[in-house]
Amino acid sequence: MTDFKKSVVYQIYPKSFCDSNHDGLGDLQGVIGKLDYIKELGVDYIWMTPFFVSPQNDNGYDVEDYYHIDPRYGTMEDFERLVHEADQRGIRLMLDMVFNHTSSRHEWFRKALAGDEKYKKYYIFKKGKEQGKAPTNWESKFGGSAWEYVPGMDEYYLHLFDVSQPDLNWDNEEVRLELQKVIRFWMEKGVKGFRFDVVNLVSKGEFADDEEGDGRKFYTDGPNIHRYLKELNAQSFGKDAEIVTVGEMSSTSLENCFQYAGEDSGELSMVFSFHHLKVDFMGNEKWVLVPADFMKLKKILFDWQAGMEKHNAWNAVFWCNHDQPRVVSRFGREGKYWKESAKMLATVIHGMRGTPYIYQGEEIGMTNAGFHDISQYRDVESLNHFRILQEKGLTQEDAYRILQVHSRDNGRTPMQWNADKNGGFTDGGPWIEVNGNYKDINAAQQMGDEDSIFRYYQKLVSLRKEYDIIAYGSFQALDERNPSVLAYMREYEGQKLVVVCNFYEKERNWKCPVGLWGYRCLLGNYKDRKMEVGEEATLRPYEAMILYKER
């Protein structure tokens, strides 16, 4: 049995990973062809974002059919071969389950719109207020109202995301039974992990106007969420002790996550939370330009590390995914300190208590896209907000600057495999442009360079397997008030590990509050760092070190 505490997960966004059939879209055969690359990195699981039948309004997170592979990605035979070939390399598959909503083209929703009362109850339909107003003032996370009017019914349906993604009604037991069946189907195919998309939104509370916000307080961590997750566990993935699960938790709280991912809670193995990725927001407002708040970032990371440990619960730790900009562009430094800052950011995450997730291209330091024309964007959220920002009075230039920083398309440009046309992703026309820096930043170049970001990630993955302290050690924040340095200590069975990272370009003299005599440097992002470290260290720009001491 694979121990998920010693494991590392590699996330693949299939559409942008590798195209095997020249149509400009990544596919399952493309993933199979890159399994040796993933094995060399050393990871244990591949999390695949959705490749089910979908109209692709939200790049597969609008599922039309939970049981079939979208032909643009391949066939069920391709998927079965992927499971087999991955297993031959000691890698397991984790699938993405989108259970808060379906596509409006799902058979269930089509029947609901046709007036079938059974399937109407699979979704959330409500009468509007007087004067043709929506049932509540809730806002969609993609902009605009969360309600869509259906003239033939004189009712509205709820869609917390795009209008083409109607929310399922989890209070209907028949819906929950259907979703349990979906999980069991993929378990039979050999899947050993499941990631649940925005799963803490599935239990809705009161349907009322939110006088203070956008409605999220009425549907986030809702009244029946823990009961529903326990039920899903007991009736599906909980029947196989080897299966690992992770829940994506939107705007959640530590207190709820103690239960979601508590060791004995009977819900999920671990959780994603996103508070640390809102430190360059203004409150909950993403579509603004404000500097990242480093002290807030530290506090959030440290609070979650300590809080989850105290309650014997488990984190998924990460910087990047298909919904986030590239971390080296966000919290690091492109250009002069690109390599150092990318390695530093990796060190922060991979030394922590929790299961690390690497998003495709992160391990080679891929950067934000730098798109400068709306025709280059594909993401529905970005397209909506480009319009909304201008309606609020911003110029096109200002709207572009915000998209260049925050758009989800920054994380969705094709994987940069080599210096060939389109970065080796496709010899067709890519569905979204390849980042223009692919000749300088690509996997082939880095695999041949022992000092590369790829090789550094490989070492971090290896250290977690070699040193039990990284997987099982306690967590203690260090030097919390330091305005430039992020540092923490891990302890386990007489061993100690200190991770220290300079988050800035300026050199810093740093004195560790616990003293560092007798520690040796297991890994650092500057080649000439001495193995022995004394009481003080001069930290160079973006310098990171993992220091270790046995009894």
Side-chain angles (χ1 to χ4, degrees):
M1 178 178 173
T2 303
D3 181 355
F4 64 80
K5 294 183 177 181
K6 290 185 79 76
S7 297
V8 178
V9 182
Y10 187 81
Q11 183 194 351
I12 288 178
Y13 193 67
K15 196 171 186 178
S16 296
F17 193 61
C18 184
D19 171 24
S20 72
N21 63 354
H22 326 297
D23 65 356
L25 295 171
D27 47 53
L28 298 181
Q29 287 285 355
V31 177
I32 293 168
K34 298 297 184 181
L35 285 174
D36 287 338
Y37 168 86
I38 297 167
K39 178 177 170 58
E40 184 157 351
L41 187 58
V43 302
D44 307 276
Y45 291 85
I46 294 171
W47 156 27
M48 302 271 288
T49 60
F51 46 76
F52 311 114
V53 174
S54 165
Q56 296 287 316
N57 289 336
D58 189 21
N59 284 304
Y61 283 87
D62 47 329
V63 178
E64 185 177 339
D65 183 338
Y66 290 111
Y67 293 101
H68 290 92
I69 310 292
D70 195 307
R72 71 192 85 196
Y73 292 120
T75 64
M76 188 61 78
E77 289 71 28
D78 292 334
F79 177 76
E80 290 166 350
R81 184 179 162 220
L82 173 58
V83 172
H84 174 74
E85 293 289 341
D87 185 63
Q88 294 294 301
R89 294 163 175 81
I91 300 169
R92 295 179 166 197
L93 265 289
M94 174 185 283
L95 295 196
D96 211 322
M97 295 288 114
V98 188
F99 283 173
N100 176 69
H101 47 265
T102 68
S103 165
S104 55
R105 281 173 39 179
H106 195 289
E107 180 184 20
W108 301 338
F109 194 71
R110 292 205 306 269
K111 286 181 176 179
L113 289 184
D116 188 320
E117 285 299 319
K118 172 183 174 177
Y119 289 100
K120 200 175 163 193
K121 291 174 183 173
Y122 273 38
Y123 297 89
I124 299 169
F125 284 89
K126 299 282 182 188
K127 286 287 184 186
K129 298 176 190 168
E130 294 176 5
Q131 290 90 40
K133 291 185 179 177
T136 72
N137 67 346
W138 299 2
E139 294 175 18
S140 161
K141 291 177 180 289
F142 288 173
S145 173
W147 297 95
E148 178 70 6
Y149 183 61
V150 183
M153 291 181 171
D154 192 28
E155 286 185 305
Y156 294 76
Y157 67 83
L158 180 68
H159 61 93
L160 294 181
F161 294 87
D162 189 56
V163 67
S164 66
Q165 294 167 294
D167 279 50
L168 285 164
N169 176 19
W170 275 60
D171 292 335
N172 180 349
E173 185 183 18
E174 288 186 62
V175 169
R176 303 198 304 276
L177 291 171
E178 291 276 11
L179 300 177
Q180 292 161 20
K181 278 170 53 183
V182 172
I183 295 291
R184 292 194 294 269
F185 173 85
W186 291 105
M187 286 170 62
E188 289 171 8
K189 293 287 183 184
V191 172
K192 291 296 183 182
F194 294 97
R195 181 261 192 190
F196 294 98
D197 185 61
V198 294
V199 72
N200 66 319
L201 307 185
V202 303
S203 172
K204 276 64 174 181
E206 181 185 1
F207 289 91
D209 281 344
D210 187 347
E211 303 302 336
E212 301 164 357
D214 55 12
R216 70 182 66 199
K217 71 179 183 181
F218 291 110
Y219 57 75
T220 303
D221 303 317
N224 295 309
I225 183 62
H226 296 290
R227 177 164 72 87
Y228 292 162
L229 284 177
K230 283 176 168 49
E231 179 186 82
L232 186 64
N233 179 319
Q235 298 302 320
S236 59
F237 56 81
K239 296 176 183 291
D240 182 346
E242 292 195 348
I243 287 181
V244 173
T245 54
V246 57
E248 181 194 29
M249 302 298 168
S250 173
S251 303
T252 190
S253 67
L254 251 174
E255 291 70 28
N256 274 290
C257 288
F258 302 158
Q259 298 176 70
Y260 292 137
E263 193 154 296
D264 300 316
S265 69
E267 296 186 26
L268 302 168
S269 307
M270 65 189 92
V271 290
F272 287 116
S273 65
F274 295 88
H275 301 284
H276 66 297
L277 296 176
K278 295 181 179 179
V279 297
D280 53 359
F281 289 18
M282 189 177 291
N284 272 319
E285 175 53 44
K286 166 179 175 176
W287 300 98
V288 293
L289 287 181
V290 294
D293 185 335
F294 172 63
M295 297 305 285
K296 185 177 179 182
L297 175 70
K298 274 210 301 188
K299 179 170 175 30
I300 292 168
L301 288 173
F302 290 167
D303 285 353
W304 277 78
Q305 285 284 296
M308 293 292 274
E309 178 186 352
K310 181 180 178 182
H311 291 268
N312 205 22
W314 200 250
N315 278 311
V317 289
F318 71 105
W319 290 123
C320 298
N321 64 32
H322 62 287
D323 283 334
Q324 299 294 331
R326 292 290 180 176
V327 71
V328 71
S329 301
R330 190 174 191 178
F331 300 138
R333 174 74 183 273
E334 292 182 30
K336 185 176 180 182
Y337 293 109
W338 161 73
K339 182 185 287 189
E340 290 82 1
S341 63
K343 291 180 180 180
M344 180 275 290
L345 290 161
T347 309
V348 171
I349 291 298
H350 285 257
M352 283 186 165
R353 180 182 182 275
T355 299
Y357 284 65
I358 301 168
Y359 177 60
Q360 64 182 50
E362 179 185 345
E363 78 281 5
I364 59 170
M366 280 178 61
T367 67
N368 280 354
F371 291 158
H372 52 79
D373 190 278
I374 197 63
S375 65
Q376 296 172 289
Y377 288 91
R378 299 290 180 269
D379 173 36
V380 60
E381 182 190 39
S382 300
L383 297 172
N384 284 349
H385 278 90
F386 184 68
R387 171 183 50 79
I388 291 167
L389 288 167
Q390 291 176 80
E391 288 172 355
K392 289 180 176 178
L394 273 70
T395 64
Q396 270 201 7
E397 185 180 15
D398 287 340
Y400 278 128
R401 281 209 299 269
I402 292 171
L403 260 63
Q404 285 165 359
V405 171
H406 289 300
S407 172
R408 301 191 300 179
D409 279 338
N410 286 307
R412 299 176 179 185
T413 58
M415 180 68 182
Q416 295 163 209
W417 291 108
N418 54 45
D420 296 344
K421 181 184 176 184
N422 294 322
F425 164 69
T426 182
D427 54 14
W431 74 275
I432 188 171
E433 285 182 35
V434 179
N435 192 314
N437 61 17
Y438 70 86
K439 291 188 177 179
D440 300 311
I441 300 176
N442 63 71
Q445 182 273 326
Q446 292 201 25
M447 291 176 76
D449 175 6
E450 286 307 308
D451 188 43
S452 68
I453 297 168
F454 176 90
R455 294 299 176 196
Y456 194 86
Y457 268 86
Q458 188 183 47
K459 289 169 188 169
L460 287 168
V461 173
S462 176
L463 285 177
R464 177 166 290 264
K465 292 173 170 41
E466 184 178 349
Y467 290 89
D468 285 350
I469 188 172
I470 300 177
Y472 308 125
S474 62
F475 180 90
Q476 178 188 341
L478 297 175
D479 204 7
E480 292 174 73
R481 295 185 179 179
N482 192 305
S484 307
V485 176
L486 187 152
Y488 56 86
M489 172 183 271
R490 310 288 308 281
E491 291 191 67
Y492 184 71
E493 295 184 348
Q495 305 160 66
K496 292 185 178 181
L497 186 112
V498 171
V499 175
V500 52
C501 298
N502 179 5
F503 246 76
Y504 291 94
E505 185 174 341
K506 189 174 179 181
E507 219 173 63
R508 301 283 173 182
N509 288 323
W510 185 71
K511 184 172 182 178
C512 181
V514 297
L516 294 174
W517 291 108
Y519 282 80
R520 61 190 177 93
C521 185
L522 287 183
L523 184 63
N525 62 347
Y526 279 80
K527 287 187 289 186
D528 58 348
R529 171 56 68 183
K530 293 177 182 176
M531 293 302 284
E532 294 290 339
V533 182
E535 290 292 334
E536 291 193 39
T538 299
L539 299 177
R540 287 165 282 190
Y542 298 102
E543 184 162 15
M545 293 181 284
I546 299 177
L547 311 172
Y548 176 73
K549 180 181 182 179
E550 294 176 346
R551 300 177 200 276

